[in-house]
Amino acid sequence: MSTRRKFLEKITATSVALPLLYSPVNLFAASEEPCEGPVLKVAIMGLGSYGTRVAEAMQACKRAKLVGVISGTPSKIKKWQSKYGIPEKNCYNYENFDAIKDNADIDAVYVITPNGLHKDQSIRVAKAGKHVICEKPMGVNAQEGQEMVDACKAANVKLLIGYRMHFEPKTVAVIKMRKEGKFGDVKFFQGQSGFTIGDPNQWRLDKELSGGGAMMDIGIYSINGARYMLGEEPIWVTAQETKTNPEKFKEGIDETIQFQMGFPSGAVANCLSTYNMNHLDRFFMTGSKGFVEMKPSTGYGPIEGKTHEGPLTQPHMTHQTLQMDGMAAIIYNGTAPIVPVDGEEGVKDMKIIDAIFKAAKTGDKVML
Ligand code: NAD
């Protein structure tokens, strides 16, 4: 098991003691997404660690259903077919999946492969006329992200990015509090995202497949989090990189980057992204009237936290279940989530990542 999975699962462990929270009655208790409407029929591309988690979570969905798979490993396809009752005609590999265009039983493809493959695979899915759900980071730079946005527009399909936190009840509650002015003038955000990565031979440490190191994988949570917590877009970034193990973290693979972002209101964010430290999954934000601290803040949950008003008590629900039901509502009902999960939202994060890499390399303050 990868170190990342272990890290994210550790904080999920306590949630299994709360089976009632997964009951249909509670499923939408903290969400305002409509339950009514067509079911989104989804094929998952990439049957790895996270694809497996999404498939499991989808079993509890009301509006989304796993109906197909795209994989290069026939034995995995067989296993998934028997586990999830997937018919042979909905199984594809990486060579033949363009034929999905003739399959009326599949509405959307969820791309859950290594980052460096997302752009080409997503564009092929769009050209096959299917909606694209793509994992974060959407590509390996902003240009790739924009190409994906353009291709999906041209094909008249939706492009949604797997930003599961935008559906998470405690996160949504905090964003609502900020919108209601409960924190007053927000001045400062702190985001810490990291874990110690294991196997040096995994794709996450291969520049071609990952596009970068910790920043692409886990630092992106602090970038996206700063934006949804503060409710503003940064106008500048500065960044400093530390590399203690150049053998493991080769050229183009960042081990640890500290970065700062400045926002139009004058608020600043100070963040840490790392593949070489544990126990880093924390958001803190303070304003003239109050504060919020979330720890864990973006793991699989339960998310925990408190504000100046007291503990956050919204019930834990499996993030990916909420996300997939929420995405069906976006696609079929035009329901807007509290923070967008569309391709343009993904491009905003990619532009910031590009700027952080530039700032870390040059030492300059990079304007956005
Ligand atoms: P993984 O290594 O467990 O799975 C990747 C899958 O892609 C495997 O099934 C592998 O066989 C397949 N694959 C296809 N072509 C490949 C190639 N050329 N090289 C290597 N593998 C190839 O990785 P993962 O943890 O499932 O991550 C997949 C994506 O999901 C990444 O983009 C990652 O950032 C994202 N992710 C998101 C979250 C989240 O919480 N939103 C969590 C974990 C991973």
Side-chain angles (χ1 to χ4, degrees), residues 57 71 87 101 103 106 125 136 142 144 163 169 197 206-207 239 246-247 263 276 294 314 319 326 349-350 353 358:
S71 167
K101 72 175 190 310
N103 191 333
I106 295 173
V125 170
K136 47 55 57 181
E144 283 202 359
Y163 288 124
I197 198 158
D206 174 332
K207 168 88 171 146
E247 189 73 32
F263 294 81
N276 205 15
M294 301 168 88
Q314 294 73 18
H319 298 177
D349 283 341
M350 298 312 304
I353 292 180
K358 190 173 169 199

Side-chain angles (χ1 to χ4, degrees), residues 5-268:
R5 199 167 134 205
K6 261 192 273 173
F7 159 77
L8 289 164
E9 275 178 355
K10 210 166 42 188
I11 42 187
T12 313
T14 49
S15 69
V16 292
L18 304 168
L20 282 176
L21 297 180
Y22 293 84
S23 73
V25 177
N26 282 330
L27 192 59
F28 278 87
S31 154
E32 285 155 16
E33 312 301 347
C35 298
E36 315 273 306
V39 166
L40 182 69
K41 291 170 283 164
V42 179
I44 290 185
M45 180 188 298
L47 313 183
S49 160
Y50 195 63
T52 301
R53 180 175 291 276
V54 170
E56 283 299 311
M58 282 180 71
Q59 302 313 295
C61 279
K62 289 183 161 186
R63 292 286 310 270
K65 185 171 168 23
L66 173 64
V67 298
V69 289
I70 299 154
S71 167
T73 315
S75 59
K76 277 196 213 166
I77 294 183
K78 283 268 159 299
K79 214 171 122 196
W80 280 52
Q81 277 191 274
S82 69
K83 185 162 185 190
Y84 298 115
I86 295 169
E88 193 67 35
K89 69 174 184 56
N90 290 357
C91 298
Y92 298 86
N93 60 42
Y94 293 107
E95 282 74 47
N96 70 14
F97 76 79
D98 308 273
I100 217 161
K101 72 175 190 310
D102 300 317
N103 191 333
D105 289 344
I106 295 173
D107 304 322
V109 174
Y110 195 160
V111 178
I112 317 185
T113 54
N115 314 337
L117 308 176
H118 290 177
K119 184 203 72 169
D120 288 349
Q121 290 170 339
S122 296
I123 291 176
R124 280 173 68 186
V125 170
K127 285 187 172 157
K130 304 297 178 183
H131 298 299
V132 181
I133 303 172
C134 180
E135 254 318 308
K136 47 55 57 181
M138 69 188 297
V140 299
N141 53 46
Q143 191 191 320
E144 283 202 359
Q146 192 57 51
E147 282 178 43
M148 292 163 69
V149 168
D150 294 344
C152 289
K153 257 193 200 131
N156 202 22
V157 296
K158 288 261 193 287
L159 169 60
L160 304 177
I161 313 301
Y163 288 124
R164 60 185 162 77
M165 300 315 295
H166 299 198
F167 303 91
E168 192 280 319
K170 292 187 179 76
T171 304
V172 169
V174 169
I175 295 170
K176 282 186 179 156
M177 282 180 73
R178 187 256 301 149
K179 285 188 168 183
E180 288 161 5
K182 297 259 174 73
F183 302 113
D185 289 336
V186 181
K187 304 273 171 70
F188 179 72
F189 170 85
Q190 188 178 34
Q192 294 159 335
S193 305
F195 63 98
T196 306
I197 198 158
D199 178 10
N201 299 315
Q202 61 186 292
W203 68 259
R204 283 187 162 81
L205 298 175
D206 174 332
K207 168 88 171 146
E208 280 295 301
L209 287 169
S210 62
M215 187 62 66
M216 287 283 175
D217 193 28
I218 194 85
I220 191 171
Y221 285 97
S222 274
I223 295 171
N224 193 252
R227 294 177 46 242
Y228 65 66
M229 296 282 280
L230 292 166
E232 291 188 85
E233 298 303 327
I235 49 177
W236 57 260
V237 303
T238 47
Q240 308 81 38
E241 182 169 8
T242 311
K243 197 171 281 202
T244 63
N245 188 348
E247 189 73 32
K248 184 169 180 180
F249 305 104
K250 301 211 161 49
E251 179 69 28
I253 299 290
D254 49 289
E255 175 189 317
T256 299
I257 295 183
Q258 293 186 71
F259 59 99
Q260 301 76 37
M261 296 184 277
F263 294 81
S265 68
V268 287

